[in-house]
Amino acid sequence: MKKLLFISILLFGTICSSIAQQNSATIFRHGGHLRYEGLSYNIDKQELSQILDENAFSQYKLARREHVAAIPLWVLSGAGLAAASTFVGFGIDADMSYYDPDSPVTSPGPYLYVVAGVLFGVTLLPFIPALVLTIDSHCKLNRIADGYNHHKVSLTPSVCPSGIGLTFNF
């Protein structure tokens, strides 16, 4: 009988310890998602709705939308930067190829530099909102993770003279 009681106490303590470790895990921002520290996968939306309060979860959904909205803007900025850099390269190649002081033919390099400058300017149009959305999304996710980590509830098993119990730490 004593062995059975001892084994059940150990089993109860192990279960409570695993629950306490799950409840006391810290979360952090990874890209545009939240993760538990030490794990390599993102926390899904359903689990976040259970561990975060309503306000923090609505902030999470807003931060995710901002992060996703920034992705095509980053792609447009990268494509514009690549096109502008290509025109700069063509301009440099044209200047080096057409260098002949006796020839009346002028280099198309300056025209290519103007096109590259216009493309660099146009590239700023999607770059600035992408940067603002990404920074704002990361700040919101960091605030959500910090708020959760500072106000989490942990469950710890305890043994006292009157028996075995659980302690909630806020």
Side-chain angles (χ1 to χ4, degrees):
M1 182 68 176
K2 287 184 180 183
K3 286 183 182 180
L4 181 64
L5 180 63
F6 182 71
I7 291 173
S8 62
I9 289 172
L10 286 178
L11 182 62
F12 179 74
T14 305
I15 292 171
C16 291
S17 176
S18 67
I19 291 171
Q21 288 175 355
Q22 288 176 354
N23 288 343
S24 65
T26 59
I27 61 174
F28 67 98
R29 177 190 58 81
H30 182 266
H33 298 279
L34 293 174
R35 286 186 177 181
Y36 286 116
E37 190 171 335
L39 298 179
S40 62
Y41 59 88
N42 300 327
I43 305 172
D44 63 345
K45 191 184 256 187
Q46 182 180 3
E47 186 175 352
L48 282 172
S49 69
Q50 294 172 355
I51 65 172
L52 298 176
D53 63 350
E54 186 176 326
N55 186 28
F57 185 65
S58 66
Q59 285 293 314
Y60 169 77
K61 291 190 296 188
L62 179 63
R64 279 294 301 153
R65 284 193 300 266
E66 289 175 350
H67 181 76
V68 170
I71 293 171
L73 297 173
W74 282 115
V75 170
L76 285 173
S77 296
L81 183 64
S85 299
T86 302
F87 275 96
V88 168
F90 286 155
I92 291 171
D93 183 55
D95 285 343
M96 294 175 77
S97 299
Y98 286 98
Y99 182 71
D100 187 13
D102 297 332
S103 174
V105 178
T106 60
S107 168
Y111 302 112
L112 295 172
Y113 295 140
V114 169
V115 171
V118 169
L119 283 174
F120 275 125
V122 170
T123 299
L124 288 177
L125 294 175
F127 174 75
I128 293 171
L131 185 65
V132 169
L133 285 171
T134 302
I135 290 173
D136 189 46
S137 171
H138 287 185
C139 288
K140 285 178 183 172
L141 290 173
N142 285 335
R143 271 195 307 264
I144 291 167
D146 288 342
Y148 172 79
N149 292 335
H150 291 321
H151 296 100
K152 62 186 173 190
V153 177
S154 65
L155 180 68
T156 56
S158 61
V159 177
C160 56
S162 62
I164 299 173
L166 296 176
T167 304
F168 288 98
N169 296 324
F170 295 96

